[in-house]
Amino acid sequence: MPDDSKAIVHRARAVHGVVRIPGDKSISHRYALLAGIAEGTSRFQNFSSARDCQNTLDCMARLGCEWKRSAGEDDYGAIEVRGIGPRLNAPAKVLDCGNSGSTMRMLSGILAGQPFTSELCGDESLSRRPMARIINPLSEMGASIEASEGGRPPLKIHGGQLKPIHYRPEVASAQVKSCVLFAGLFAEGETVVEEPIRTRDHGEIALQAFGAEVERKGKVSRIRGGQRLRAIEAHVPGDLSSAAFFLCAAALFPGSQVTLPGILMNPTRARLLDILIQMGLQVSVAHLEEHQGELIGTIEARGSEWKGGTIAGADTAALIDEIPVLAAIAAYSEAGLEVRDGKELRVKESDRIAAVVANLRKMGAQIEERPDGMKIPGGQHLHGAELDSFGDHRIAMAFAVSALRAEGETTILDADAAGVSYPRFFEELRSVAS
Ligand code: S3P
Protein backbone atom coordinates (compact mmCIF):
# COMPACT_ATOMS: atom_id res chain seq x y z
CA MET A 1 0.00 0.00 0.00
CA PRO A 2 1.49 3.41 -0.89
CA ASP A 3 2.50 5.47 2.14
CA ASP A 4 3.69 9.02 2.58
CA SER A 5 7.32 8.15 3.33
CA LYS A 6 9.80 10.21 1.35
CA ALA A 7 13.55 10.08 0.93
CA ILE A 8 15.57 13.09 -0.14
CA VAL A 9 18.82 12.36 -1.95
CA HIS A 10 21.43 15.01 -2.80
CA ARG A 11 24.11 15.02 -5.43
CA ALA A 12 27.32 13.41 -4.16
CA ARG A 13 30.96 13.71 -5.21
CA ALA A 14 32.14 10.27 -4.14
CA VAL A 15 31.17 7.01 -2.47
CA HIS A 16 33.48 5.39 0.08
CA GLY A 17 33.17 2.81 2.81
CA VAL A 18 32.32 -0.62 4.05
CA VAL A 19 28.72 -1.82 3.91
CA ARG A 20 27.40 -4.94 5.65
CA ILE A 21 24.68 -6.15 3.34
CA PRO A 22 21.79 -8.14 4.87
CA GLY A 23 21.30 -11.82 4.10
CA ASP A 24 20.20 -12.92 0.66
CA LYS A 25 16.46 -12.76 0.16
CA SER A 26 16.21 -15.70 -2.23
CA ILE A 27 18.13 -18.00 0.11
CA SER A 28 16.34 -16.77 3.25
CA HIS A 29 12.91 -17.56 1.77
CA ARG A 30 14.00 -21.06 0.84
CA TYR A 31 15.63 -21.70 4.23
CA ALA A 32 12.48 -20.57 6.05
CA LEU A 33 10.23 -22.78 3.92
CA LEU A 34 12.39 -25.89 4.06
CA ALA A 35 13.20 -25.43 7.78
CA GLY A 36 9.45 -25.55 8.46
CA ILE A 37 9.01 -28.96 6.80
CA ALA A 38 12.28 -30.36 8.18
CA GLU A 39 12.61 -32.31 11.40
CA GLY A 40 14.22 -30.34 14.25
CA THR A 41 15.07 -26.72 14.88
CA SER A 42 17.11 -24.89 12.25
CA ARG A 43 19.30 -21.94 13.19
CA PHE A 44 20.28 -19.18 10.80
CA GLN A 45 22.73 -16.30 11.06
CA ASN A 46 22.37 -13.21 8.90
CA PHE A 47 18.83 -14.18 7.87
CA SER A 48 17.42 -11.48 5.60
CA SER A 49 15.83 -8.48 7.29
CA ALA A 50 13.58 -8.02 4.22
CA ARG A 51 9.84 -7.56 4.84
CA ASP A 52 9.31 -10.22 2.18
CA CYS A 53 11.16 -12.82 4.24
CA GLN A 54 9.23 -11.89 7.38
CA ASN A 55 6.11 -12.70 5.37
CA THR A 56 7.45 -16.16 4.61
CA LEU A 57 8.31 -16.74 8.27
CA ASP A 58 4.89 -15.52 9.40
CA CYS A 59 3.08 -17.74 6.87
CA MET A 60 5.08 -20.73 8.10
CA ALA A 61 4.19 -19.83 11.71
CA ARG A 62 0.49 -19.96 10.72
CA LEU A 63 1.14 -23.47 9.43
CA GLY A 64 2.61 -24.55 12.78
CA CYS A 65 6.33 -23.78 12.37
CA GLU A 66 7.22 -21.24 15.00
CA TRP A 67 10.20 -18.98 14.59
CA LYS A 68 11.97 -16.58 16.91
CA ARG A 69 15.08 -14.47 17.20
CA SER A 70 17.74 -16.73 18.73
CA ALA A 71 17.96 -16.50 22.53
CA GLY A 72 20.97 -14.59 23.79
CA GLU A 73 21.83 -13.34 20.33
CA ASP A 74 21.99 -9.63 19.73
CA ASP A 75 23.35 -10.31 16.29
CA TYR A 76 20.82 -9.04 13.78
CA GLY A 77 19.48 -11.82 11.62
CA ALA A 78 20.03 -14.70 14.07
CA ILE A 79 16.82 -16.70 14.07
CA GLU A 80 15.58 -20.20 14.69
CA VAL A 81 12.73 -22.02 13.01
CA ARG A 82 11.06 -25.07 14.55
CA GLY A 83 10.39 -27.63 11.85
CA ILE A 84 7.40 -29.94 12.22
CA GLY A 85 8.12 -32.32 9.36
CA PRO A 86 6.38 -32.62 6.00
CA ARG A 87 2.81 -32.55 7.37
CA LEU A 88 1.94 -28.95 8.29
CA ASN A 89 -1.06 -27.74 10.34
CA ALA A 90 -4.09 -26.46 8.46
CA PRO A 91 -4.02 -22.65 8.78
CA ALA A 92 -6.88 -20.98 10.64
CA LYS A 93 -6.60 -17.85 8.52
CA VAL A 94 -5.63 -16.66 5.07
CA LEU A 95 -1.85 -16.68 4.52
CA ASP A 96 -0.84 -13.12 3.73
CA CYS A 97 2.21 -12.99 1.46
CA GLY A 98 2.32 -9.17 1.42
CA ASN A 99 4.38 -7.95 -1.55
CA SER A 100 6.26 -11.21 -1.93
CA GLY A 101 5.87 -13.19 -5.14
CA SER A 102 8.57 -15.58 -3.91
CA THR A 103 6.54 -16.40 -0.79
CA MET A 104 3.36 -17.07 -2.73
CA ARG A 105 4.92 -19.08 -5.53
CA MET A 106 7.29 -21.24 -3.50
CA LEU A 107 4.97 -21.79 -0.53
CA SER A 108 2.29 -22.96 -3.00
CA GLY A 109 4.56 -25.86 -3.95
CA ILE A 110 4.54 -27.05 -0.32
CA LEU A 111 0.83 -26.38 0.24
CA ALA A 112 -0.07 -28.37 -2.88
CA GLY A 113 1.21 -31.44 -1.05
CA GLN A 114 -0.78 -30.87 2.17
CA PRO A 115 -4.05 -32.71 2.91
CA PHE A 116 -5.98 -29.48 3.52
CA THR A 117 -7.14 -26.31 1.81
CA SER A 118 -5.25 -23.08 2.24
CA GLU A 119 -5.76 -19.56 0.97
CA LEU A 120 -3.01 -17.15 0.01
CA CYS A 121 -3.40 -13.45 -0.59
CA GLY A 122 -1.10 -10.49 -1.20
CA ASP A 123 -1.02 -6.72 -1.45
CA GLU A 124 -2.20 -4.71 -4.43
CA SER A 125 0.99 -5.28 -6.42
CA LEU A 126 1.11 -9.03 -5.74
CA SER A 127 -2.60 -9.32 -6.61
CA ARG A 128 -1.75 -8.22 -10.16
CA ARG A 129 1.08 -10.71 -10.68
CA PRO A 130 0.79 -13.86 -12.82
CA MET A 131 0.34 -17.14 -10.95
CA ALA A 132 -0.64 -19.39 -13.88
CA ARG A 133 3.05 -20.26 -14.10
CA ILE A 134 2.72 -22.21 -10.81
CA ILE A 135 -0.98 -23.10 -11.04
CA ASN A 136 -0.36 -25.07 -14.27
CA PRO A 137 2.37 -27.42 -13.03
CA LEU A 138 0.81 -27.87 -9.59
CA SER A 139 -2.55 -28.73 -11.20
CA GLU A 140 -0.78 -31.23 -13.45
CA MET A 141 0.63 -32.77 -10.28
CA GLY A 142 -2.89 -33.20 -8.93
CA ALA A 143 -3.57 -30.14 -6.76
CA SER A 144 -6.74 -28.18 -7.38
CA ILE A 145 -6.17 -24.41 -7.35
CA GLU A 146 -8.69 -21.60 -7.59
CA ALA A 147 -7.48 -18.11 -8.58
CA SER A 148 -8.89 -14.79 -9.67
CA GLU A 149 -9.40 -13.93 -13.31
CA GLY A 150 -6.31 -14.40 -15.44
CA GLY A 151 -4.67 -16.66 -12.84
CA ARG A 152 -4.04 -13.83 -10.35
CA PRO A 153 -4.06 -13.99 -6.53
CA PRO A 154 -5.77 -14.68 -4.19
CA LEU A 155 -5.23 -18.42 -4.50
CA LYS A 156 -7.13 -21.26 -2.85
CA ILE A 157 -5.11 -24.46 -2.88
CA HIS A 158 -6.75 -27.82 -2.27
CA GLY A 159 -3.70 -29.99 -1.68
CA GLY A 160 -3.12 -33.73 -1.34
CA GLN A 161 -0.97 -36.58 -2.59
CA LEU A 162 0.80 -35.42 -5.77
CA LYS A 163 1.92 -37.12 -8.98
CA PRO A 164 5.42 -36.50 -10.34
CA ILE A 165 5.78 -34.57 -13.61
CA HIS A 166 8.45 -33.64 -16.11
CA TYR A 167 7.93 -29.91 -16.36
CA ARG A 168 9.28 -27.58 -19.04
CA PRO A 169 8.33 -24.04 -17.95
CA GLU A 170 7.88 -21.46 -20.71
CA VAL A 171 9.38 -18.64 -18.67
CA ALA A 172 12.79 -18.84 -17.05
CA SER A 173 11.83 -18.52 -13.38
CA ALA A 174 13.70 -19.81 -10.35
CA GLN A 175 10.57 -19.31 -8.25
CA VAL A 176 8.65 -21.69 -10.53
CA LYS A 177 11.51 -24.21 -10.51
CA SER A 178 11.69 -24.16 -6.69
CA CYS A 179 7.89 -24.38 -6.43
CA VAL A 180 7.79 -27.54 -8.56
CA LEU A 181 10.81 -29.13 -6.86
CA PHE A 182 9.32 -28.46 -3.41
CA ALA A 183 6.03 -29.99 -4.58
CA GLY A 184 8.11 -32.91 -5.89
CA LEU A 185 8.92 -33.82 -2.27
CA PHE A 186 5.22 -34.69 -1.88
CA ALA A 187 4.91 -36.70 -5.12
CA GLU A 188 5.33 -40.46 -5.53
CA GLY A 189 8.25 -40.84 -7.90
CA GLU A 190 10.67 -38.46 -9.62
CA THR A 191 9.77 -34.88 -10.53
CA VAL A 192 11.87 -33.16 -13.20
CA VAL A 193 12.16 -29.48 -14.11
CA GLU A 194 13.79 -28.64 -17.43
CA GLU A 195 14.35 -24.92 -17.80
CA PRO A 196 14.57 -22.84 -21.00
CA ILE A 197 17.46 -20.87 -19.49
CA ARG A 198 19.35 -21.87 -16.36
CA THR A 199 18.12 -19.77 -13.43
CA ARG A 200 19.44 -19.30 -9.90
CA ASP A 201 19.85 -22.67 -8.17
CA HIS A 202 19.33 -21.76 -4.49
CA GLY A 203 16.33 -24.12 -4.28
CA GLU A 204 18.40 -27.11 -5.34
CA ILE A 205 21.33 -26.13 -3.08
CA ALA A 206 19.05 -25.57 -0.08
CA LEU A 207 17.25 -28.89 -0.62
CA GLN A 208 20.65 -30.61 -0.62
CA ALA A 209 21.71 -28.74 2.53
CA PHE A 210 18.58 -30.04 4.28
CA GLY A 211 19.59 -33.57 3.28
CA ALA A 212 17.55 -34.19 0.13
CA GLU A 213 19.09 -35.74 -2.95
CA VAL A 214 18.65 -33.51 -5.98
CA GLU A 215 20.20 -34.48 -9.27
CA ARG A 216 21.36 -31.57 -11.42
CA LYS A 217 22.65 -31.51 -14.97
CA GLY A 218 22.72 -28.20 -16.81
CA LYS A 219 19.15 -26.96 -17.09
CA VAL A 220 17.59 -30.16 -15.70
CA SER A 221 16.91 -30.74 -11.99
CA ARG A 222 15.35 -33.91 -10.56
CA ILE A 223 13.99 -34.78 -7.13
CA ARG A 224 12.53 -37.98 -5.70
CA GLY A 225 9.39 -37.68 -3.62
CA GLY A 226 9.07 -38.79 -0.01
CA GLN A 227 12.52 -37.61 1.12
CA ARG A 228 12.66 -36.32 4.71
CA LEU A 229 14.50 -33.09 5.50
CA ARG A 230 16.73 -32.54 8.54
CA ALA A 231 17.19 -29.20 10.34
CA ILE A 232 20.38 -27.28 9.55
CA GLU A 233 22.54 -24.47 10.89
CA ALA A 234 23.50 -21.95 8.25
CA HIS A 235 24.93 -18.51 7.67
CA VAL A 236 23.03 -16.65 4.94
CA PRO A 237 25.38 -14.91 2.47
CA GLY A 238 24.95 -11.15 1.93
CA ASP A 239 22.47 -10.40 -0.87
CA LEU A 240 24.28 -9.67 -4.14
CA SER A 241 21.17 -7.96 -5.55
CA SER A 242 21.24 -5.52 -2.60
CA ALA A 243 25.00 -5.14 -2.96
CA ALA A 244 24.36 -4.10 -6.58
CA PHE A 245 23.08 -0.68 -5.43
CA PHE A 246 26.39 0.12 -3.74
CA LEU A 247 28.43 -1.28 -6.62
CA CYS A 248 26.48 0.93 -9.03
CA ALA A 249 26.89 3.92 -6.69
CA ALA A 250 30.68 3.39 -6.77
CA ALA A 251 30.55 3.02 -10.57
CA LEU A 252 29.20 6.58 -10.83
CA PHE A 253 32.33 8.27 -9.45
CA PRO A 254 35.86 7.45 -10.67
CA GLY A 255 38.07 6.78 -7.65
CA SER A 256 35.20 5.76 -5.37
CA GLN A 257 35.67 2.59 -3.41
CA VAL A 258 33.32 0.26 -1.55
CA THR A 259 34.04 -2.91 0.39
CA LEU A 260 31.21 -5.40 0.84
CA PRO A 261 32.11 -8.37 3.06
CA GLY A 262 30.39 -11.75 3.02
CA ILE A 263 28.50 -11.45 -0.26
CA LEU A 264 26.86 -14.30 -2.16
CA MET A 265 29.05 -15.47 -5.07
CA ASN A 266 26.82 -18.24 -6.43
CA PRO A 267 27.71 -18.49 -10.16
CA THR A 268 24.02 -18.31 -11.17
CA ARG A 269 23.89 -14.84 -9.60
CA ALA A 270 27.46 -13.56 -10.01
CA ARG A 271 27.11 -12.85 -13.74
CA LEU A 272 26.35 -9.36 -12.44
CA LEU A 273 30.01 -8.92 -11.49
CA ASP A 274 31.22 -9.85 -15.02
CA ILE A 275 28.82 -7.32 -16.53
CA LEU A 276 29.85 -4.59 -14.08
CA ILE A 277 33.50 -5.26 -14.94
CA GLN A 278 32.71 -5.12 -18.70
CA MET A 279 30.95 -1.82 -18.10
CA GLY A 280 33.95 -0.32 -16.35
CA LEU A 281 33.80 -1.06 -12.60
CA GLN A 282 37.02 -2.45 -11.10
CA VAL A 283 36.05 -5.45 -8.99
CA SER A 284 38.07 -7.90 -6.94
CA VAL A 285 36.81 -10.72 -4.75
CA ALA A 286 38.69 -12.07 -1.74
CA HIS A 287 38.13 -14.44 1.21
CA LEU A 288 36.09 -16.98 -0.76
CA GLU A 289 34.32 -19.50 1.48
CA GLU A 290 31.50 -21.97 1.14
CA HIS A 291 28.53 -22.17 3.51
CA GLN A 292 25.99 -24.97 3.03
CA GLY A 293 26.85 -25.18 -0.67
CA GLU A 294 26.70 -21.42 -1.32
CA LEU A 295 29.85 -19.41 -2.14
CA ILE A 296 30.60 -16.22 -0.22
CA GLY A 297 33.29 -13.60 -0.80
CA THR A 298 34.31 -10.03 0.03
CA ILE A 299 33.85 -7.62 -2.87
CA GLU A 300 36.12 -4.61 -3.30
CA ALA A 301 34.95 -2.27 -6.05
CA ARG A 302 36.47 0.94 -7.45
CA GLY A 303 34.76 3.37 -9.75
CA SER A 304 36.46 4.15 -13.06
CA GLU A 305 35.07 5.26 -16.45
CA TRP A 306 31.49 3.97 -16.71
CA LYS A 307 31.08 2.63 -20.21
CA GLY A 308 27.62 1.01 -20.38
CA GLY A 309 26.74 -1.74 -22.86
CA THR A 310 24.00 -4.23 -23.76
CA ILE A 311 22.13 -6.78 -21.64
CA ALA A 312 20.26 -9.46 -23.61
CA GLY A 313 19.30 -13.15 -23.71
CA ALA A 314 20.43 -15.29 -20.78
CA ASP A 315 22.10 -12.23 -19.20
CA THR A 316 18.75 -10.48 -18.92
CA ALA A 317 17.36 -13.47 -16.98
CA ALA A 318 20.48 -13.63 -14.79
CA LEU A 319 20.40 -9.88 -14.00
CA ILE A 320 16.64 -9.46 -13.85
CA ASP A 321 16.69 -7.87 -10.36
CA GLU A 322 19.65 -5.59 -11.08
CA ILE A 323 18.41 -4.15 -14.39
CA PRO A 324 16.47 -1.32 -12.70
CA VAL A 325 19.62 0.10 -11.09
CA LEU A 326 21.79 -0.49 -14.17
CA ALA A 327 19.17 1.37 -16.23
CA ALA A 328 18.80 4.15 -13.67
CA ILE A 329 22.52 4.99 -13.95
CA ALA A 330 22.88 4.27 -17.69
CA ALA A 331 22.36 7.83 -18.88
CA TYR A 332 25.62 8.85 -17.13
CA SER A 333 27.63 6.19 -19.01
CA GLU A 334 29.68 6.75 -22.16
CA ALA A 335 27.79 4.44 -24.52
CA GLY A 336 24.43 4.10 -22.79
CA LEU A 337 22.55 0.87 -22.16
CA GLU A 338 20.33 -1.34 -24.25
CA VAL A 339 18.18 -3.95 -22.47
CA ARG A 340 16.58 -6.68 -24.61
CA ASP A 341 14.56 -9.85 -23.91
CA GLY A 342 13.22 -8.40 -20.65
CA LYS A 343 9.46 -8.95 -20.96
CA GLU A 344 9.50 -10.35 -17.42
CA LEU A 345 10.46 -6.89 -16.14
CA ARG A 346 6.85 -5.86 -16.82
CA VAL A 347 5.42 -8.35 -14.29
CA LYS A 348 7.67 -7.73 -11.30
CA GLU A 349 6.62 -5.76 -8.17
CA SER A 350 5.88 -2.96 -10.65
CA ASP A 351 6.13 -2.75 -14.43
CA ARG A 352 9.85 -2.03 -14.15
CA ILE A 353 10.26 -0.89 -17.76
CA ALA A 354 7.48 1.67 -17.40
CA ALA A 355 8.73 2.76 -13.95
CA VAL A 356 12.32 3.29 -15.12
CA VAL A 357 11.17 5.16 -18.23
CA ALA A 358 8.83 7.45 -16.24
CA ASN A 359 11.46 8.33 -13.64
CA LEU A 360 14.31 8.85 -16.09
CA ARG A 361 12.12 11.16 -18.17
CA LYS A 362 11.30 13.19 -15.04
CA MET A 363 15.05 13.58 -14.50
CA GLY A 364 15.35 14.96 -18.04
CA ALA A 365 16.71 11.85 -19.77
CA GLN A 366 16.15 10.65 -23.32
CA ILE A 367 15.00 7.03 -23.31
CA GLU A 368 13.35 4.71 -25.77
CA GLU A 369 10.79 2.33 -24.30
CA ARG A 370 10.32 -1.06 -25.96
CA PRO A 371 7.87 -3.89 -25.22
CA ASP A 372 10.67 -6.06 -23.83
CA GLY A 373 13.29 -3.56 -22.84
CA MET A 374 14.66 -0.06 -23.34
CA LYS A 375 17.46 1.91 -24.89
CA ILE A 376 19.11 4.70 -22.92
CA PRO A 377 21.69 6.88 -24.70
CA GLY A 378 24.82 7.72 -22.70
CA GLY A 379 26.50 11.05 -22.01
CA GLN A 380 23.38 12.70 -20.56
CA HIS A 381 23.12 15.16 -17.67
CA LEU A 382 20.17 14.52 -15.37
CA HIS A 383 18.54 16.77 -12.81
CA GLY A 384 16.87 15.94 -9.52
CA ALA A 385 13.09 15.52 -9.55
CA GLU A 386 10.19 14.17 -7.53
CA LEU A 387 10.14 10.46 -8.38
CA ASP A 388 7.78 7.63 -7.56
CA SER A 389 8.91 4.26 -6.25
CA PHE A 390 5.73 2.76 -7.74
CA GLY A 391 5.62 0.81 -4.47
CA ASP A 392 8.59 -1.20 -5.77
CA HIS A 393 11.65 -1.64 -3.54
CA ARG A 394 14.12 -1.93 -6.39
CA ILE A 395 12.80 1.19 -8.13
CA ALA A 396 13.07 3.21 -4.87
CA MET A 397 16.69 2.14 -4.39
CA ALA A 398 17.71 2.33 -8.06
CA PHE A 399 16.70 5.98 -8.28
CA ALA A 400 18.29 6.87 -4.96
CA VAL A 401 21.56 5.72 -6.56
CA SER A 402 20.90 7.59 -9.81
CA ALA A 403 20.12 10.74 -7.79
CA LEU A 404 23.70 10.79 -6.48
CA ARG A 405 24.89 12.07 -9.88
CA ALA A 406 21.88 14.29 -10.71
CA GLU A 407 22.04 18.08 -10.45
CA GLY A 408 20.13 19.28 -7.36
CA GLU A 409 17.85 17.38 -5.03
CA THR A 410 15.76 14.27 -5.70
CA THR A 411 12.72 13.21 -3.70
CA ILE A 412 11.66 9.59 -3.78
CA LEU A 413 8.02 9.12 -2.86
CA ASP A 414 6.85 5.97 -1.06
CA ALA A 415 10.52 5.34 -0.27
CA ASP A 416 9.63 2.92 2.52
CA ALA A 417 9.02 0.37 -0.25
CA ALA A 418 12.79 -0.28 0.02
CA GLY A 419 12.08 -2.26 3.20
CA VAL A 420 10.59 -5.06 1.11
CA SER A 421 14.17 -6.20 0.57
CA TYR A 422 16.45 -3.76 2.46
CA PRO A 423 15.00 -1.84 5.43
CA ARG A 424 18.22 0.10 6.27
CA PHE A 425 19.08 0.96 2.68
CA PHE A 426 18.76 4.77 2.86
CA GLU A 427 20.81 4.99 6.09
CA GLU A 428 23.56 2.87 4.54
CA LEU A 429 23.57 4.88 1.32
CA ARG A 430 23.88 8.13 3.27
CA SER A 431 26.75 6.68 5.29
CA VAL A 432 28.87 6.05 2.17
CA ALA A 433 27.95 8.99 -0.06
CA SER A 434 29.74 12.31 0.45
C1 S3P B 1 13.77 -15.07 -7.38
C2 S3P B 1 13.68 -15.24 -8.73
C3 S3P B 1 13.41 -14.13 -9.65
C4 S3P B 1 13.72 -12.80 -9.00
C5 S3P B 1 13.13 -12.67 -7.63
C6 S3P B 1 13.67 -13.76 -6.73
C7 S3P B 1 13.98 -16.26 -6.54
O1 S3P B 1 12.04 -14.14 -9.98
O2 S3P B 1 13.27 -11.74 -9.82
O3 S3P B 1 13.44 -11.42 -7.07
O4 S3P B 1 14.31 -16.12 -5.36
O5 S3P B 1 13.83 -17.37 -7.06
P1 S3P B 1 11.43 -15.10 -11.10
O6 S3P B 1 11.50 -16.49 -10.62
O7 S3P B 1 10.02 -14.64 -11.28
O8 S3P B 1 12.27 -14.87 -12.32
Side-chain angles (χ1 to χ4, degrees), residues 60 72 144-145 148 160 199 207 228 241 244 249 257 261 265 282 315 325 342 344 362-363 374 384 387-388 406-407:
M60 290 309 282
S144 156
I145 304 182
S148 282
T199 63
L207 280 162
R228 311 283 287 193
S241 302
Q257 187 175 5
M265 287 293 140
Q282 294 173 10
D315 284 344
V325 66
E344 276 293 299
K362 279 195 183 162
M363 297 174 88
M374 58 196 118
L387 305 178
D388 199 339
E407 195 66 53

Side-chain angles (χ1 to χ4, degrees), residues 26 30 102 105 133 172-175 200 320-321 348 394:
S26 293
R30 287 163 171 87
S102 301
R105 292 184 178 134
R133 55 186 64 192
S173 163
Q175 293 174 0
R200 63 189 75 186
I320 199 77
D321 291 340
K348 292 290 179 187
R394 300 210 196 272

Side-chain angles (χ1 to χ4, degrees), residues 66-130:
E66 282 154 28
W67 70 276
K68 60 175 189 182
R69 303 242 169 254
S70 299
E73 291 280 357
D74 50 7
D75 181 15
Y76 194 59
I79 66 159
E80 40 188 81
V81 180
R82 191 174 62 90
I84 60 170
R87 177 68 55 90
L88 299 174
N89 299 340
K93 284 199 199 156
V94 175
L95 300 165
D96 188 351
C97 304
N99 190 247
S100 176
S102 301
T103 306
M104 187 172 281
R105 292 184 178 134
M106 295 194 284
L107 178 56
S108 294
I110 292 173
L111 294 175
Q114 302 296 320
F116 52 73
T117 294
S118 32
E119 288 182 68
L120 294 99
C121 70
D123 69 4
E124 223 181 289
S125 150
L126 182 53
S127 303
R128 287 192 299 267
R129 296 184 66 190

Side-chain angles (χ1 to χ4, degrees), residues 314-337:
D315 284 344
T316 305
L319 269 71
I320 199 77
D321 291 340
E322 294 85 40
I323 287 174
V325 66
L326 289 166
I329 63 164
Y332 306 118
S333 68
E334 279 165 34
L337 177 74

